[in-house]
Amino acid sequence: MLSCTSKSVRLALALRISRRCWHTYAVRTRCQGIVRRQSNWVPVRFVSTEKGPFSPKEKVMPDISKLPEGYLDFLSQFIQDHCDQNCLSESGMAQRVQVVKTLQLHLRVHIPDATLQIFGSTRTGMCLSNSDIDVSFHSPSLLKRTINPQAMIRRIYMALQTFPEEYCDITSVANKHVRVPICKVRVKQQGVRIDISCNNDMGVINSQAIRHYCDVDKRFAPLAIMIKSITKVCSISSSREKSLSSYTYQVLLMYYLQRTHPPVLPNLQELWVKTEEQPGRPTKMLGSFDAYYFSDIDRLGEVWDGHGRNQQTVAELLFGFFKFYAEFDFGNVVIAPRVSGTVYIKDSQFAANRALMTIEDPFRKTFNLGIFLTDVVMRLIEQIFRGSYIHLAVPCSGSVAELQNHFFSPYYLMGRGQKKDVPMICTVCSKEGHHFTWECAAREAGSPPLSRVSQRKRQAPLQARRLWSNCWNRS
């Protein structure tokens, strides 16, 4: 790690280093700018003491113990009410299950052994009224013929085209560049959107595990819904836009709640009931991954004595979540909820392929959930976590609509005050003037996304680019 206070000295030193021994190189400043990039240089991170337009404002995080009396209880009740109002009721969940059963019957007209398994927010019980239904498609006959997922998705697409009265807006995302091919469809009568993927057994297991963690402590679901709402209004909850998915934020929440004092959640992957037949930890292999976790929540007291010891309110845990990750050492520590101790990047399997944020999947130990995170979005997430902690500590009263506007104002959650004071760069078109995706005209026009190198070049401030160009010409 190198640190220089002068940009000219830093850039000149970078040139000398790059010409001698490095293979890939990128100069990064606190203002997020990739100033120049050559394919035969290596990435080196320079830390500058100068403040750039994207640097979080250096604000002192307030002590929540000094907040007005009763405010934490008020905020906890608001979070619980927000969860109750936005989550689907039992009748709504039952209606969604019936929609999936009907879809399965229609698919069996063309694929007789087709089965659909629900996963995602509908399976975890934290489904919002406007959330999609994620289902996993299974067909033993197609699997025996070793048909790849892209071909399966195309078969599903063609089968759904034969039911124009029931379904519309059918699209297939199954090209070779997509990591998980899916088929999108909307049910006409209910207006519900369904995302169909193939043989996504790991997604089903992950959703079941999240549901069991919700059953362990009733505070998990309201916290997850509140964090999901904040990240959605700030446009940092879509993995397709190089950010983190809602499931990844739930993993972050799980990791934090396992490390509170005393812990709110146990590590279900390290618990089991010891018997004569099963003295050691059992395994449940799903391909090459061990998908075992303790699922008998009724017997949790036999294997974990910490249940119910943590008496913090939902608001206190939410403040703790934002502060925990605003001060987290992402450069050295792996977020690994499957183990109780601390895992360092240098001692893990991610040492050879470092990322800005290393989040280990609870069951796929070799998969990093934050591998696609870009530098701009990474700094934005850190800024929003810090800004949310500061903003939620501001007492507010009024009607429900006024409270909603106060707590979910993206410009205040970003910690930058009012909209006119915010220097913003869009994560879609990489142009200044706006940040949020619904304000982007390029997305509405359907323009193709820029490459990662082009995005970084456009996100670099002009002053930094000129400085690099001058330094390059003089050399």
Side-chain angles (χ1 to χ4, degrees):
M1 183 73 70
L2 302 176
S3 178
C4 300
T5 56
S6 172
K7 286 186 178 180
S8 59
V9 173
R10 182 171 69 253
L11 297 176
L13 179 61
L15 284 172
R16 297 191 185 99
I17 293 175
S18 63
R19 290 177 178 176
R20 290 180 183 178
C21 56
W22 300 106
H23 301 292
T24 337
Y25 180 74
V27 174
R28 294 176 183 173
T29 63
R30 285 285 297 273
C31 57
Q32 312 290 320
I34 298 299
V35 199
R36 187 177 178 91
R37 186 180 179 91
Q38 293 288 343
S39 59
N40 56 344
W41 298 353
V42 297
V44 177
R45 179 180 290 274
F46 287 83
V47 179
S48 172
T49 58
E50 299 163 311
K51 292 184 179 180
F54 285 89
S55 303
K57 292 185 177 180
E58 300 297 335
K59 293 184 178 180
V60 178
M61 303 184 74
D63 185 3
I64 62 174
S65 61
K66 298 180 181 179
L67 291 175
E69 184 179 358
Y71 177 68
L72 291 176
D73 295 334
F74 167 78
L75 183 58
S76 300
Q77 187 61 42
F78 171 81
I79 296 172
Q80 186 63 50
D81 294 342
H82 176 73
C83 177
D84 297 338
Q85 293 172 5
N86 290 274
C87 286
L88 284 180
S89 60
E90 295 183 0
S91 60
M93 297 292 288
Q95 183 182 12
R96 291 192 166 216
V97 173
Q98 186 60 40
V99 167
V100 175
K101 289 182 178 179
T102 305
L103 176 61
Q104 178 176 286
L105 293 176
H106 290 160
L107 288 177
R108 285 185 175 179
V109 174
H110 302 274
I111 310 172
D113 58 347
T115 58
L116 298 178
Q117 286 185 293
I118 300 176
F119 68 97
S121 59
T122 308
R123 188 64 175 265
T124 60
M126 294 181 287
C127 181
L128 304 181
S129 56
N130 58 348
S131 297
D132 300 339
I133 305 177
D134 298 315
V135 296
S136 176
F137 171 83
H138 298 267
S139 175
S141 62
L142 297 181
L143 193 61
K144 288 181 181 179
R145 295 164 54 186
T146 63
I147 297 180
N148 56 36
Q150 288 82 3
M152 288 186 183
I153 290 297
R154 286 191 286 268
R155 289 283 299 271
I156 296 172
Y157 174 81
M158 295 173 63
L160 294 177
Q161 290 285 355
T162 60
F163 299 95
E165 294 82 7
E166 288 80 10
Y167 307 106
C168 62
D169 299 340
I170 307 172
T171 57
S172 173
V173 185
N175 55 62
K176 61 180 180 180
H177 302 290
V178 179
R179 185 170 61 88
V180 180
I182 59 174
C183 180
K184 293 177 173 289
V185 61
R186 184 166 66 89
V187 184
K188 284 187 175 181
Q189 185 176 0
Q190 288 81 10
V192 181
R193 292 186 175 275
I194 303 177
D195 293 344
I196 308 173
S197 57
C198 293
N199 302 323
N200 197 349
D201 297 325
M202 191 57 67
V204 177
I205 293 294
N206 289 334
S207 302
Q208 291 176 351
I210 293 293
R211 181 55 187 261
H212 283 99
Y213 275 110
C214 292
D215 296 337
V216 171
D217 196 287
K218 300 302 181 184
R219 292 170 289 183
F220 185 90
L223 285 170
I225 293 296
M226 188 68 177
I227 295 170
K228 183 177 181 179
S229 301
I230 290 176
T231 54
K232 275 188 175 295
V233 298
C234 294
S235 298
I236 55 170
S237 64
S238 176
S239 58
R240 299 170 189 170
E241 298 172 357
K242 306 302 180 182
S243 185
L244 302 179
S245 63
S246 299
Y247 169 70
T248 305
Y249 286 110
Q250 293 172 6
V251 173
L252 294 178
L253 178 61
M254 184 195 313
Y255 181 83
Y256 162 70
L257 294 180
Q258 291 174 350
R259 282 151 180 81
T260 55
H261 301 286
V264 177
L265 296 178
N267 187 350
L268 295 180
Q269 294 177 262
E270 294 182 347
L271 301 179
W272 74 93
V273 177
K274 296 182 180 180
T275 59
E276 295 181 358
E277 296 80 8
Q278 189 66 52
R281 178 185 178 278
T283 58
K284 180 183 177 182
M285 300 306 297
L286 187 63
S288 59
F289 303 104
D290 184 7
Y292 167 79
Y293 67 94
F294 185 79
S295 58
D296 193 357
I297 305 302
D298 296 333
R299 302 181 62 183
L300 183 62
E302 302 178 15
V303 294
W304 186 56
D305 58 353
H307 186 63
R309 287 190 176 184
N310 190 304
Q311 299 297 323
Q312 289 180 286
T313 62
V314 178
E316 291 174 328
L317 292 175
L318 183 64
F319 279 115
F321 172 84
F322 288 129
K323 186 176 182 179
F324 180 79
Y325 287 109
E327 301 172 350
F328 193 81
D329 187 9
F330 292 106
N332 297 314
V333 181
V334 180
I335 301 173
R338 67 176 180 87
V339 294
S340 300
T342 302
V343 180
Y344 293 95
I345 297 178
K346 62 180 181 179
D347 302 328
S348 67
Q349 63 273 17
F350 304 107
N353 188 18
R354 283 177 173 258
L356 297 174
M357 186 183 295
T358 308
I359 309 170
E360 183 186 89
D361 188 89
F363 299 106
R364 294 176 292 177
K365 296 186 291 185
T366 58
F367 182 63
N368 180 11
L369 295 171
I371 188 64
F372 302 109
L373 199 65
T374 61
D375 195 21
V376 173
V377 180
M378 171 67 181
R379 295 299 180 95
L380 186 61
I381 291 174
E382 292 178 344
Q383 183 174 342
I384 289 173
F385 281 176
R386 181 178 292 272
S388 298
Y389 182 96
I390 297 172
H391 178 58
L392 293 177
V394 178
C396 176
S397 61
S399 62
V400 176
E402 292 175 345
L403 292 176
Q404 293 280 350
N405 294 332
H406 173 75
F407 288 121
F408 298 113
S409 172
Y411 303 102
Y412 286 104
L413 291 172
M414 291 171 66
R416 295 179 174 180
Q418 296 183 4
K419 181 176 181 179
K420 62 181 180 180
D421 300 325
V422 182
M424 297 175 292
I425 285 185
C426 180
T427 58
V428 176
C429 65
S430 304
K431 295 182 179 179
E432 295 184 3
H434 65 281
H435 158 68
F436 306 103
T437 55
W438 62 78
E439 299 175 350
C440 182
R443 181 177 181 180
E444 295 177 358
S447 60
L450 299 172
S451 64
R452 185 174 298 182
V453 176
S454 299
Q455 288 181 4
R456 288 176 175 174
K457 285 183 178 179
R458 292 197 179 189
Q459 290 162 359
L462 292 177
Q463 183 180 3
R465 289 190 215 170
R466 292 168 183 167
L467 180 61
W468 173 269
S469 178
N470 296 334
C471 184
W472 179 269
N473 295 331
R474 290 172 186 174
S475 63

